[in-house]
Structures are given as C-alpha cells and as structure tokens.
Amino acid sequence: MVGDVIGHGLEASTTMARLRTAVQTLADLDLAPDELLIRLDDLVQRMAAESAHADTLGASVLYAVYDPVTRLCRLAGAGHPAPVAVHPDGTTHVIDVRPGPPLGVGGVPFEVTDVSLPEGSVLTMYSDGLLDIARRSRRDPWNPRVDPEAECAARLRAACRPGRPLRRIGEALVERARQAAERTDDITVLLARTRAVPDDSIADWRFPPDPAAVAEAREVAVAQLTAWGLLENIFATELVVSELVTNAVRYATGDIRLRLIRDAVLVCEVTDSSESQPRLRRAHNDDEGSRGLFLVAQVTSRWGSRYDASGKTIWTEQAIGAD
C-alpha cells in the first residue's frame, strides 16, 4: 500500500499515523481491497468531523494484494496514480486501476482491478511527486502532450534490468528528483518483485460434507507432509486438519476444500460454504465444545479467516520444521 495525505505539518503526520495503524489492522482481517478502502474512507470522514480543519483532511491511497499461488494481483485506488508493472521480458504497462475518489469524499464505492503478474515482475507504486518530476523532465514541462505516467513507465523500464536489486531500481527512479531544485512535493516509491509458489509445493483436495471425510483428510495431509519431508509438522497439521474439517462438516453444506502450501511457512487452509465468523473462545469446564480453535491457535504461529462469494476459508501458518 502507498498513500499521500493532504497537507504538511503536525496534523498531516497525525492523519498518516492513524491511517497507517488502521491499514495494518484491517489488512490482517483479509478484507478485499475495495472493502478496506471503504473502511478507511469512513475513518477519514469521522476524523474530519472531529477536526477543526475538516477541509484539509484527506488522502489518496493505492492498495494491492498479490497471491503467489494464483499469481493474481488485486488492486483498488482512492484518487492515487496508477501503478506500473514491468514484466520479466522487459515490457511495461500502466495498470488501469478503476479510479475512485480520495479518502474522505464518501458516498462513492471503490472497485477492484484484477491483473495477472508473471513471476519476477516488478510492481511499482508511487506518489504523485514522481509524476511531477516526470513532467519537468521534458524541455517543455507543461506541454499537455507529455504523459507523465508513460514517462514514469519508460524510466522504470530502463531501470529494471534483470537481476538488479530493488533498492538500486528505486535509487535510479528518484535520482533526478534529488537533483531537482524546484521540487516542491515529497516522493515515495514502493517496489515489489513478485514470486510464485511452485506447483509441486501445493496440494489440494475436496471432500463431501460427511463425518468420514475427517479421517480421510488427515490421511492425505500426513501422506503429503511425509512426501515433502516435513515430518516434524505432522502432529500439529493432523490436529489442525481434524478440528477445521470437523467444524466444516458440522456447520457447512457443500464440498469442503483442504489445501496445503509449502513456502517460507507451511500453510493449511480449509474452505467451506459457511459464512459464520470463527471466534477464539475460552471453554468452561462444563462446555462440550469451543476448544477447537483454541487448540489450533496453540500449535500454529498464526491463523485467520477470509471470505469470498462462495464462503469462507480458515487458514493457519506453521514454521517449517516446527514441532
């Protein structure tokens, strides 16, 4: 995510700090990009209502989520410049993010743009200070025929040589800005090089909503971890699969999906058609249930849930080789 708060000084710094904290909290809920911007927009409106300088409160934002399994990047913007993608073959294009109003305007929904990014692509997000430098880089800086986004894309294509570290690419992009005495705006450049999870590091199964599916899910998960050589993760994964698949059988309808992803961590996902919100609760001595998620939380490093049109997914993470 990259953003640009209106104005300068103490109030702008306070606004940026509050928005940054809100983003970190909302992003952990796995909200879709458009839903996250709606929550931020509501926050900025409340901040403006509390402020004596409501007309100077606002921000532009670009928020992106990249899935290294599907290689799909989902983006939503609120009055922010469009990002640029450089593919491994050197081709560039400005991603046509559907425009939305700056945060604080209210009353207008945001939209999500989906784009596939091959492994090794460089996604560049920046503030409009970089566009200002692109305009001024021509002999006639106010020539209306100059396209600053195209100029940024051209400079990025020249900077993104294969294997070049992202820090060097960023330095090349802002070097002209450092030398520009007439610069009046801050410049932010955020670079991310995409990678992908190999197909042989992903295992995917579907089961009917039948109690017998719980034992079958445990068996295939153990067999897969054994094939991957992750023997120390078997105990925790068996417990996670048992609890999550059991809950899916009990409360959902339709097929249940189990997915294991071997990456920097071991991810276990269980997807079902239910939209109920899982909650971590402390079970009392006479409770027959309510202990499943508590046990899952004890044997994993992180867990959470996300929703889509077909239901919800509960995911967990374990350190590779953790017992």
Side-chain angles (χ1 to χ4, degrees):
M1 183 173 196
V2 65
D4 195 0
V5 170
I6 293 175
H8 300 277
L10 180 60
E11 185 149 8
S13 299
T14 302
T15 301
M16 177 64 78
R18 292 183 67 178
L19 288 178
R20 181 171 179 165
T21 301
V23 169
Q24 291 173 335
T25 302
L26 294 171
D28 202 41
L29 298 177
D30 281 326
L31 297 176
D34 57 333
E35 294 181 19
L36 184 141
L37 292 189
I38 289 173
R39 305 287 182 90
L40 285 183
D41 183 60
D42 182 60
L43 172 61
V44 173
Q45 292 181 67
R46 293 203 308 271
M47 291 167 60
E50 298 167 358
S51 173
H53 307 283
D55 56 341
T56 63
L57 264 176
S60 67
V61 162
L62 180 65
Y63 183 78
V65 178
Y66 174 74
D67 186 339
V69 174
T70 63
R71 300 166 178 80
L72 183 69
C73 186
R74 312 197 73 204
L75 309 100
H80 203 82
V84 178
V86 181
H87 293 169
D89 61 3
T91 59
T92 65
H93 74 278
V94 178
I95 300 176
D96 187 19
V97 177
R98 297 182 182 92
L103 298 180
V105 173
V108 181
F110 301 96
E111 295 187 59
V112 176
T113 299
D114 292 339
V115 59
S116 294
L117 295 178
E119 183 176 11
S121 299
V122 175
L123 180 66
T124 305
M125 301 158 68
Y126 50 86
S127 62
D128 56 6
L130 192 66
L131 293 180
D132 185 54
I133 295 300
R135 293 187 187 98
R136 296 172 183 271
S137 66
R138 300 298 183 94
R139 290 184 179 179
D140 185 3
W142 306 115
N143 186 341
R145 291 176 295 179
V146 173
D147 184 347
E149 290 183 345
E151 179 71 14
C152 283
R155 293 178 60 194
L156 184 60
R157 181 170 58 250
C160 286
R161 294 194 291 270
R164 192 176 194 183
L166 294 181
R167 179 175 292 276
R168 294 288 182 87
I169 297 173
E171 290 173 349
L173 289 174
V174 301
E175 182 60 33
R176 191 186 301 271
R178 292 195 183 105
Q179 302 169 359
E182 72 278 12
R183 179 168 64 88
T184 59
D185 198 3
D186 297 329
I187 296 175
T188 297
V189 177
L190 178 63
L191 300 166
R193 180 174 280 120
T194 64
R195 60 184 184 84
V197 177
D199 291 340
D200 60 3
S201 291
I202 305 169
D204 201 334
W205 304 273
R206 291 184 182 274
F207 305 97
D210 187 293
V214 178
E216 185 180 354
R218 281 199 306 265
E219 290 175 5
V220 297
V222 169
Q224 186 61 64
L225 293 187
T226 303
W228 282 340
L230 302 181
L231 302 183
E232 294 179 352
N233 294 95
I234 287 178
F235 172 78
T237 304
E238 273 194 291
L239 190 151
V240 168
V241 169
S242 292
E243 294 296 336
L244 298 187
V245 174
T246 296
N247 284 344
V249 169
R250 181 176 299 171
Y251 300 113
T253 60
D255 287 349
I256 300 163
R257 182 184 184 187
L258 170 64
R259 186 167 70 164
L260 297 178
I261 303 170
R262 178 186 59 176
D263 194 36
V265 294
L266 176 64
V267 178
C268 177
E269 298 179 343
V270 174
T271 302
D272 60 52
S273 59
S274 171
E275 295 184 356
S276 60
Q277 173 68 44
R279 290 182 174 86
L280 185 64
R281 295 182 295 178
R282 180 176 296 278
H284 298 289
N285 292 336
D286 56 350
D287 286 344
E288 294 183 4
S290 303
R291 293 179 174 82
L293 278 180
F294 176 79
L295 294 175
V296 168
Q298 301 307 302
V299 299
T300 60
S301 55
R302 295 180 68 226
W303 72 276
S305 61
R306 63 178 183 269
Y307 296 84
D308 58 26
S310 59
K312 75 171 182 302
T313 297
I314 302 180
W315 54 266
T316 67
E317 290 182 1
Q318 300 175 52
I320 295 294
D323 191 355

